[in-house]
Amino acid sequence: IGRRPRYVLLDQGASCWQQARVSGNACSEICIPGLSATHFVSRGLRSLGDWHTVSASRNFDILRLDLQPATESLRRLLPGDARQQLPLHQILALRDDQQAGIPVLSSNADGSLTMAEALVPGERIRWVIRQSLAAGQEIQSLLQSAVNPENRPIFGIMFSCIGRGPVFYGGEDLDLAAFRSAFPETPLLGACGTGQIVFSPSGTQLFNSAAVTLLFEESHV
């Protein structure tokens, strides 16, 4: 495949059957020649304020942000009903608005926050939170912007996080509804998993809690 763009759906603990037996290698891939794909990533994130500077850190723990205990700095940005029991599974830290977010693993007794990636003093981050309303609006806007009556896609593929779907949206799969609204006659394939890998000119990125939509068109040479 070389340098061709690659898009991957991950699913931890997935099982794969081959010839009526469980396969030890639960991986598969497909190359589609003669077609080009445009991708759209809906992260469904709402900003929780401005940028903050890491004042002190220890390995994967942020000790202080803007000279304040990291947990308290985050707590003050949350709505009142979320301040007592921090919804850490919904919160990410962004190094850059275009990059995948860094999950928060735990809030510790010393006021620090354990992150999935190490951050060093002087780095700047912005807190964001996963929100169903923001996710629904974002994917609808992204897919509507791709509509071109003169050049409709042949088919689409959607890699979605298992944390989205009807449970996330309160009973309706707004990701699927957004696709059907934008491309009512376009066939769609898809699956849910625990992570999505997306190609970009600046480097391949791993996303969580996202919906990645690929629109395939004929490549004209």
Side-chain angles (χ1 to χ4, degrees):
I1 294 180
R3 297 183 178 179
R4 294 179 182 176
R6 306 186 76 176
Y7 303 92
V8 181
L9 176 68
L10 304 177
D11 189 8
Q12 294 178 340
S15 298
C16 181
W17 288 76
Q18 183 178 16
Q19 297 179 344
R21 297 180 180 179
V22 176
S23 173
N25 180 14
C27 300
S28 63
E29 63 180 18
I30 184 172
C31 177
I32 307 177
L35 298 178
S36 60
T38 303
H39 74 262
F40 302 87
V41 181
S42 170
R43 296 186 291 175
L45 304 176
R46 181 174 68 86
S47 174
L48 289 175
D50 209 342
W51 292 88
H52 303 275
T53 302
V54 178
S55 305
S57 65
R58 179 183 60 238
N59 299 324
F60 287 83
D61 293 343
I62 301 177
L63 304 180
R64 291 184 174 273
L65 284 171
D66 299 332
L67 304 178
Q68 302 172 359
T71 297
E72 291 307 311
S73 176
L74 172 59
R75 194 187 307 275
R76 281 194 287 270
L77 300 173
L78 295 169
D81 57 349
R83 292 179 180 176
Q84 295 302 316
Q85 187 70 30
L86 299 179
L88 298 182
H89 63 290
Q90 295 179 261
I91 297 173
L92 300 167
L94 298 184
R95 282 188 169 110
D96 183 281
D97 285 331
Q98 303 304 316
Q99 293 184 5
I102 304 171
V104 185
L105 302 182
S106 67
S107 173
N108 308 312
D110 62 357
S112 65
L113 293 169
T114 301
M115 309 297 294
E117 296 180 19
L119 294 160
V120 299
E123 282 197 82
R124 290 173 60 81
I125 63 169
R126 184 205 299 270
W127 295 115
V128 292
I129 187 169
R130 292 181 60 226
Q131 187 182 64
S132 58
L133 178 60
Q137 292 175 340
E138 179 186 37
I139 193 166
Q140 184 176 36
S141 175
L142 285 172
L143 295 181
Q144 288 293 338
S145 70
V147 173
N148 181 356
E150 298 180 358
N151 188 21
R152 298 183 181 276
I154 299 173
F155 69 95
I157 294 179
M158 183 178 290
F159 293 154
S160 182
C161 177
I162 199 169
R164 292 175 71 121
V167 174
F168 181 55
Y169 288 118
E172 181 182 3
D173 191 338
L174 296 187
D175 295 333
L176 178 58
F179 187 90
R180 287 294 173 224
S181 175
F183 306 101
E185 300 179 359
T186 301
L188 177 67
L189 304 173
C192 295
T194 56
Q196 305 80 37
I197 296 177
V198 178
F199 168 86
S200 71
S202 60
T204 303
Q205 297 188 59
L206 170 64
F207 289 91
N208 300 102
S209 306
V212 177
T213 305
L214 302 169
L215 299 178
F216 287 86
E217 301 173 349
E218 291 186 10
S219 297
H220 298 285
V221 180

